[in-house]
């Protein structure tokens, strides 16, 4: 049909369908009167609402919802979905509200129409303003679609009809529509296995974007068909004869590779036309799986198969549920043909994917939730898709990249020992595999057995590998190295979470040790030994008084400064065993080992307080301890206020050699991915060593507190690095810690 012919533009040159045509189709599988009435009501409602409006291609507007509903009915979807197809533009284009739809057609139809309207609105705002679709826009479309698989199916039918009839639009809009179709709708149709829709969308996009290439391929195909027709016919006849002889039920057809898939082979993969073995294929449909293998065996006995071209997608289905046997053979005339053998069910799935699996079954009691669950378990990627879409923290660009990488481009199919297929992106390892099975399997993985051989966790998996994960309850769990091995976003985020949890529990151990140390110092000051301290505090009264389960809890409370050592000592009624005497130890051997001048003395042994870690530049004060000389604290350290008598003036020496001092800091930030990496990054970029870092997640507030020990020469430098850290996105507070 020529595009110059104005009449051919009506409905893009496609035949127009009437409501009766649609009714003929759905009446075959929907018998319930209520359901049929709902569809009819939806049609009449749309008819009335869109009355008097015409499309760019010249026909009345109602033909758009009619064609969308026709495409849907062909997929054998249920009454709710067909009705939504009729009503999908009513809220957006007429004065109808979503509440009215809910009242007239029920909540389910309304929620589908609402989701479709939102996607449409987004596109409109884009059409009027921005030139390019941003990642943010695409993310919103996917978010809208991830809620209900039926939204995707209606949206795909809508897009397909709009693409068929795009000729009425401006060149610029056609291009944008085609580009978006290839970027957003084709990948999702592919992953849902809606092959018929996918390939029509691809061919139309190519036709609009690169008409010369499209027509060139079309021409080559026609030539090839003409030339091969005879050889194809005789091949089909011979196979049919043979199958008939053997009493094998079959149906045999031929199929031509789609223009877009030829385009991909020619232009994106650099093949020549003659190198494409599967331009022409013979498809044999039979009744059982076993027959499929029998048929392919019989064919291989007559025609020579091309080595390396046999593919068993029955044993290893594709991620979109596609199943079939493929083989390329050389015909008697020396031509290459692809042979595809599958059952009737497999063929339906090959053509309409998820829709075939989810075909409307009258009277089936399965609920929406159950259906969505079933889909998610059959199409395991869909579960990842929903999870990824639900996690709103990622920015749009990341989301789209992850979607593309983890979901649309996954290409390795690995089997569990029980034969379940797990799809992974190329380069994925047993760690990715383990996390796809279950977070717990990932977290406790210790090794992997691939095809019966024990392999290291960084082994790259290939399609068809059978992988078994060895787990252990004694596993130390994920480590930093796993971040380099894992390829999928979901595994990476689980590993990061596990690592943070681990540091948080390490933190607990540390707190016990530090709290104990603090308490021990206070007991020592009043002349009590470790053992004496432990026997004093291990008493039930004291644990009860401070609301602790055990002594470790008490240490933690001391460390957190929820309970002071003095409170404990007072509660126990302990008195100092001896009066303390102030005796300062002089340094005799070297001149410069103390950085601090105490009183006017430069040669007094000093220790820097562990609690407040003073550094040059800080205002400081000395605290005279029993037996340990003078401890230097920051002037505002709460640990020194107890006993004013023991304080002594102190200041930093002015001729200090440059040296780094440890400082404990605390960073508070709102959660996001790569937060810790970014913080560590800027700290080390400024040549500040970090000797410890731990993280504490606060799930309720979606924030994280990091504690770190960094090494700096003085307070000025510390101040500078604080500013650098505060500039990291998400960080809202940085402080020194006083223990
Ligand atoms: Mn529409």
């Amino acid at each position: 049909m020529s595009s110059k012919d104005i009449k051919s533009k009506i409905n893009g040159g496609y035949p127009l369908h009437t409501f009766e045509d649609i009714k003929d189709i759905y009446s075959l599988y929907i018998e319930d009167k209520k359901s049929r009435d709902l569809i009819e009501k939806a049609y009449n409602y749309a008819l009335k609402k869109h009355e008097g409006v015409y499309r760019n291609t010249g026909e009345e507007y109602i033909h758009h919802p009619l064609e969308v509903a026709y495409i849907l009915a062909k997929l054998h979807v249920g009454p709710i979905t067909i009705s939504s197809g009729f009503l999908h533009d009513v809220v957006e284009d007429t004065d109808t509200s979503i509440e009215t739809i809910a009242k007239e057609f029920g909540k389910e139809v309304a929620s589908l129409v609402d989701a479709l309207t939102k996607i449409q609105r987004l596109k409109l705002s884009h059409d009027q303003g921005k030139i390019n679709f941003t990642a943010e826009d695409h993310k919103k479309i996917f978010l809208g679609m991830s809620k209900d698989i039926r939204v995707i199916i209606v949206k795909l039918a809508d897009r397909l009809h709009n693409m068929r009839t795009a000729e009425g639009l401006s060149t610029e809009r056609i291009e944008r529509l085609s580009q978006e179709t290839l970027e957003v709708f084709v990948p999702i149709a592919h992953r849902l296995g809606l092959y018929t829709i996918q390939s029509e969308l691809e061919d139309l996009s190519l036709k609009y974007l690169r008409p010369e290439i499209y027509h060139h391929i079309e021409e080559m195909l026609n030539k090839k068909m003409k030339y091969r027709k005879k050889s194809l016919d005789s091949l089909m006849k011979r196979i049919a004869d043979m199958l008939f002889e053997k009493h094998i039920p079959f149906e045999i057809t031929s199929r031509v590779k789609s223009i877009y898939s030829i385009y991909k082979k020619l232009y994106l993969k650099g093949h020549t036309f003659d190198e494409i073995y599967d331009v022409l294929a013979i498809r044999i449909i039979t009744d059982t799986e076993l027959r499929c293998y029998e048929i392919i065996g019989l064919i291989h006995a007559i025609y020579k198969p091309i080595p390396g071209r046999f593919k068993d997608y029955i044993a290893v289905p594709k991620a979109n549920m596609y199943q079939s046997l493929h083989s390329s053979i050389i015909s008697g005339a020396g031509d290459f043909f692809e042979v595809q053998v599958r059952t009737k069910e497999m063929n339906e799935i090959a053509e309409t994917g998820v829709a075939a699996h989810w075909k409307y079954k009258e009277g089936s009691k399965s609920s929406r939730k159950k259906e969505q669950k079933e889909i998610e378990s059959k199409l395991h990627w869909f579960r990842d898709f929903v999870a990824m879409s639900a996690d709103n923290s990622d920015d749009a660009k990341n989301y789209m990249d992850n979607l593309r990488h983890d979901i649309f481009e996954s290409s390795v199919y690995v089997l569990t020992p029980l034969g379940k297929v797990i799809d992974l992106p190329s380069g994925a390892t047993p760690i990715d595999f383990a996390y796809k099975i279950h977070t717990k399997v990932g977290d406790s993985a210790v090794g992997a057995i691939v095809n019966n051989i024990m392999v290291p966790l960084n082994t790259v998996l290939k399609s068809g590998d059978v992988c078994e994960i060895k787990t252990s309850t004694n596993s130390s769990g994920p480590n930093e190295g796993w971040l380099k091995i894992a390829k999928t976003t979901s595994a990476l985020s689980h590993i990061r979470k596990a690592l943070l949890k681990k540091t948080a529990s390490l933190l607990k151990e540390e707190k016990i040790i530090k709290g104990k140390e603090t308490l021990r110092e206070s007991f020592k000051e009043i002349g009590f030994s470790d053992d004496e301290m432990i026997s004093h505090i291990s008493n039930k009264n004291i644990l009860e008084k401070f609301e602790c389960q055990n002594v470790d809890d008490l240490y933690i409370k001391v460390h957190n400064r929820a309970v002071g050592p003095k409170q404990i000592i007072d509660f126990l009624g302990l008195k100092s065993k001896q009066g303390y005497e102030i005796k300062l130890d002089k340094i005799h051997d070297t001149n410069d080992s103390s950085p601090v001048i105490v009183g006017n003395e430069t040669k007094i042994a000093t220790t820097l307080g562990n609690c407040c870690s003073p550094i040059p530049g800080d205002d400081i004060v000395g605290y005279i301890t029993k037996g340990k000389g003078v401890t230097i604290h920051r002037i505002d350290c709460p640990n020194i206020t107890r006993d004013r008598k023991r304080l002594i003036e102190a200041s930093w020496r002015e001729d200090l050699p440059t040296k780094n001092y440890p400082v404990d800091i605390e960073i508070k930030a709102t959660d996001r991915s790569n937060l810790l990496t970014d913080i560590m990054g800027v700290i080390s970029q400024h040549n500040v060593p970090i000797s410890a870092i731990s993280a504490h997640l606060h799930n309720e507030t979606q924030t994280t507190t990091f504690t770190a020990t960094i090494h700096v020469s003085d307070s000025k430098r510390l101040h500078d690095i604080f500013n650098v850290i505060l500039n990291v996105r998400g960080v809202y507070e940085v402080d020194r810690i006083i223990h």
Side-chain angles (χ1 to χ4, degrees):
M1 239 167 283
S2 155
S3 61
K4 279 174 205 143
D5 180 357
I6 204 73
K7 265 193 182 163
S8 77
K9 281 203 170 177
I10 294 271
N11 204 33
Y14 291 76
L16 284 172
H17 294 99
T18 62
F19 179 70
E20 293 307 316
D21 294 333
I22 299 166
K23 196 172 175 178
D24 283 348
I25 301 172
Y26 71 70
S27 298
L28 293 174
Y29 65 94
I30 300 176
E31 278 172 23
D32 174 50
K33 187 169 179 308
K34 263 197 195 154
S35 303
R36 288 186 180 190
D37 287 351
L38 182 80
I39 299 175
E40 199 143 351
K41 185 176 168 190
Y43 163 65
N44 284 314
Y45 196 86
L47 183 66
K48 209 176 100 207
K49 286 290 173 183
H50 293 300
E51 202 184 350
V53 181
Y54 290 81
R55 304 192 75 223
N56 287 323
T57 28
E59 71 277 16
E60 278 177 280
Y61 196 88
I62 190 63
H63 288 291
H64 171 60
L66 267 171
E67 294 303 328
V68 169
Y70 183 82
I71 295 167
L72 291 170
K74 283 278 231 183
L75 292 171
H76 286 210
V77 298
I80 301 275
T81 318
I82 299 182
S83 303
S84 307
F86 274 122
L87 298 168
H88 80 274
D89 277 335
V90 159
V91 173
E92 184 54 30
D93 295 344
T94 77
D95 59 359
T96 315
S97 72
I98 206 72
E99 289 73 29
T100 315
I101 297 290
K103 222 169 69 200
E104 296 286 326
F105 300 95
K107 264 199 204 143
E108 258 187 279
V109 173
S111 96
L112 296 190
V113 172
D114 191 37
L116 290 158
T117 307
K118 281 180 181 146
I119 296 173
Q120 192 61 23
R121 289 229 166 111
L122 174 85
K123 289 192 32 49
L124 287 181
S125 71
H126 145 76
D127 274 354
Q128 284 155 5
K130 295 165 277 172
I131 308 283
N132 284 317
F133 241 106
T134 62
E136 183 67 39
D137 294 328
H138 287 159
K139 178 181 176 184
K140 282 182 190 152
I141 295 179
F142 281 113
L143 287 181
M145 295 197 296
S146 72
K147 298 207 171 66
D148 193 317
I149 207 151
R150 294 174 298 182
V151 175
I152 308 182
I153 295 176
V154 179
K155 191 63 211 162
L156 283 170
D158 176 44
R159 173 55 56 114
L160 179 58
H161 185 245
N162 283 333
M163 283 293 281
R164 284 177 183 169
T165 53
E167 273 179 77
L169 304 171
S170 71
T171 323
E172 204 201 345
R173 282 195 61 188
I174 293 183
E175 274 177 14
R176 219 154 53 200
L177 200 66
S178 308
Q179 206 66 54
E180 189 194 55
T181 299
L182 287 178
E183 274 170 32
V184 180
F185 294 96
V186 162
I188 201 136
H190 174 69
R191 295 308 255 136
L192 289 172
L194 288 150
Y195 174 75
T196 340
I197 291 184
Q198 177 200 343
S199 94
E200 195 180 340
L201 285 175
E202 285 175 336
D203 282 1
L204 284 166
S205 304
L206 183 66
K207 194 169 148 191
Y208 293 133
L209 291 171
R210 309 290 299 271
E212 57 319 321
I213 290 181
Y214 180 90
H215 293 298
H216 176 61
I217 295 174
E218 200 178 30
E219 214 172 280
M220 283 197 289
L221 261 181
N222 287 339
K223 262 191 208 154
K224 187 153 199 157
M225 282 293 279
K226 225 161 123 192
Y227 173 75
R228 289 285 182 84
K229 189 87 176 80
K230 253 179 116 182
S231 139
L232 181 72
D233 282 351
S234 72
L235 183 69
M236 281 170 68
K237 200 176 162 296
R238 174 130 192 235
I239 292 174
D241 277 350
M242 174 187 71
L243 296 177
F244 184 75
E245 288 284 302
K246 302 264 177 199
H247 303 286
I248 295 171
F250 70 93
E251 200 181 293
I252 188 165
T253 52
S254 64
R255 81 104 181 87
V256 185
K257 199 173 178 69
S258 85
I259 293 188
Y260 190 82
S261 13
I262 294 174
Y263 159 76
K264 276 206 297 201
K265 289 246 158 124
L266 294 181
Y267 292 84
L268 307 179
K269 295 200 175 146
H271 292 276
T272 66
F273 196 73
D274 289 328
E275 281 169 355
I276 308 174
Y277 292 141
D278 57 349
V279 169
L280 291 176
I282 292 169
R283 187 171 293 161
I284 302 157
I285 294 162
T286 187
D287 57 351
T288 66
E289 201 178 294
L290 202 64
R291 293 265 203 228
C292 295
Y293 290 101
E294 194 183 346
I295 292 172
I296 206 83
L298 289 167
I299 293 174
H300 282 171
I302 308 177
Y303 300 103
K304 208 173 160 191
I306 299 170
R309 298 276 314 168
F310 176 67
K311 288 180 196 129
D312 185 349
Y313 294 119
I314 291 181
V316 186
K318 291 190 186 182
N320 60 14
M321 306 185 291
Y322 178 90
Q323 287 188 295
S324 189
L325 297 176
H326 288 191
S327 181
S328 292
I329 55 159
I330 303 169
S331 77
D335 297 323
F336 297 125
F337 288 99
E338 185 175 83
V339 181
Q340 304 174 346
V341 188
R342 52 178 80 149
T343 65
K344 208 163 163 280
E345 293 74 38
M346 291 175 195
N347 192 51
E348 273 180 25
I349 290 166
E351 267 156 19
T352 60
V354 69
H357 239 290
W358 206 19
K359 236 180 187 175
Y360 183 68
K361 288 171 224 88
E362 190 103 87
S364 70
K365 285 258 156 48
S366 67
S367 68
R368 268 289 307 132
K369 261 202 185 136
K370 228 175 111 193
E371 282 174 339
Q372 179 94 10
K373 262 229 162 95
E374 202 185 310
I375 287 297
E376 288 178 18
S377 76
K378 289 234 164 71
L379 291 166
H380 14 92
W381 65 267
F382 196 78
R383 191 184 51 208
D384 295 342
F385 172 47
V386 173
M388 198 183 280
S389 303
D391 174 11
N392 243 325
S393 60
D394 257 0
D395 65 48
K397 171 105 187 16
N398 264 342
Y399 172 84
M400 287 305 294
D401 286 350
N402 293 341
L403 200 62
R404 211 160 273 151
H405 177 252
D406 282 12
I407 293 183
F408 292 158
E409 283 167 12
S410 63
S411 54
V412 180
Y413 311 111
V414 180
L415 296 154
T416 67
L418 293 174
K420 196 179 167 216
V421 182
I422 304 291
D423 53 315
L424 296 163
S426 55
T429 61
I431 291 183
D432 297 297
F433 179 86
Y435 277 105
K436 280 265 169 158
I437 293 173
H438 200 282
T439 315
K440 275 192 192 141
V441 176
D443 283 346
S444 57
V446 287
I449 295 174
V450 173
N451 306 329
N452 295 320
I453 297 165
M454 188 83 186
V455 297
L457 287 172
N458 63 357
T459 307
V460 172
L461 296 168
K462 302 181 306 299
S463 274
D465 280 349
V466 177
C467 183
E468 186 185 344
I469 299 297
K470 288 279 147 209
T471 59
S472 161
T473 41
N474 296 327
S475 147
S476 57
N479 57 53
E480 291 281 333
W482 286 23
L483 292 173
K484 291 197 190 90
I485 299 171
K487 288 282 170 301
T488 50
T489 323
S490 59
L492 286 169
S493 89
H494 284 309
I495 295 168
R496 282 197 198 99
K497 264 184 209 151
L499 287 177
L500 287 177
K501 230 191 198 160
K502 221 166 152 187
T503 39
S505 71
L506 270 187
L507 197 66
K508 191 182 163 193
E509 296 299 315
E510 256 169 52
K511 278 181 178 173
I512 293 172
I513 293 168
K514 284 188 177 166
K516 187 174 182 180
E517 185 58 39
T518 308
L519 203 56
R520 181 187 282 151
E521 270 178 37
S522 300
F523 272 80
K524 204 170 155 194
E525 275 176 25
I526 53 167
F528 287 81
S529 71
D530 282 10
D531 289 345
E532 284 172 315
M533 171 183 88
I534 290 167
S535 83
H536 273 295
I537 60 172
S538 307
N539 116 14
K540 222 180 96 207
N541 290 338
I542 192 151
L543 294 178
E544 250 168 39
K545 155 82 181 165
F546 296 108
E547 291 168 3
C548 295
Q549 297 285 340
N550 49 43
V551 178
D552 282 352
D553 278 358
L554 187 66
Y555 292 144
I556 292 173
K557 284 200 168 174
V558 169
H559 174 79
N560 289 344
R561 305 193 55 79
V563 175
K566 188 163 188 307
Q567 267 175 288
I568 297 172
I569 291 167
D570 286 351
F571 180 79
L572 289 167
L574 300 176
K575 291 275 178 286
S576 179
K577 285 184 176 171
Q578 62 216 68
Y580 53 80
E581 50 193 274
I582 298 174
K583 190 177 128 233
L584 301 182
D585 293 340
K586 297 244 175 158
I587 301 168
H588 296 294
D589 36 357
T590 48
N591 286 328
D592 58 0
S593 50
S594 173
V596 175
I597 306 166
V598 177
N600 291 317
E601 281 279 0
T602 54
K603 287 185 183 168
I604 289 175
T606 57
T607 345
L608 300 177
N610 274 328
C611 49
C612 58
S613 345
I615 54 171
D618 287 338
D619 290 329
I620 48 174
V621 66
Y623 180 79
I624 303 156
T625 64
K626 235 187 92 20
K628 259 175 72 183
V630 173
T631 313
I632 304 302
H633 293 265
R634 273 150 65 192
I635 206 135
D636 53 355
C637 178
N639 294 340
I640 55 171
T641 52
R642 280 174 295 174
D643 199 344
R644 298 238 148 244
K645 281 183 289 181
R646 297 172 71 171
L647 296 185
I648 183 165
E649 198 182 297
S651 61
W652 296 98
R653 274 170 54 174
E654 294 197 348
D655 55 342
L656 273 181
T658 313
K659 185 190 158 210
N660 276 342
Y661 298 86
V663 179
D664 290 343
I665 62 168
E666 188 173 71
I667 303 164
K668 290 182 179 164
T670 31
D671 278 349
R672 64 169 172 88
S673 49
N674 295 327
L675 179 61
L676 185 56
T677 323
D678 289 353
I679 293 174
M680 308 254 293
V682 294
I683 297 179
S684 48
Q685 256 169 42
H686 286 77
N687 295 319
V688 172
I690 311 172
S691 62
I693 190 149
S694 53
H696 226 16
L697 281 170
H698 314 292
N699 283 329
E700 327 76 51
T701 52
Q702 297 285 307
T703 56
T704 303
T705 306
F706 298 101
T707 56
T709 307
I710 60 171
H711 298 257
V712 289
S713 53
D714 54 53
S715 61
K716 157 106 181 37
R717 184 119 169 87
L718 183 68
H719 184 75
D720 291 345
I721 198 73
F722 273 14
N723 280 334
V724 166
I725 298 170
L726 275 170
N727 273 327
V728 173
R729 186 164 60 84
V731 174
Y732 61 86
E733 200 182 308
V734 187
D735 239 324
R736 283 167 81 167
I737 304 174
I738 294 179
H739 297 292

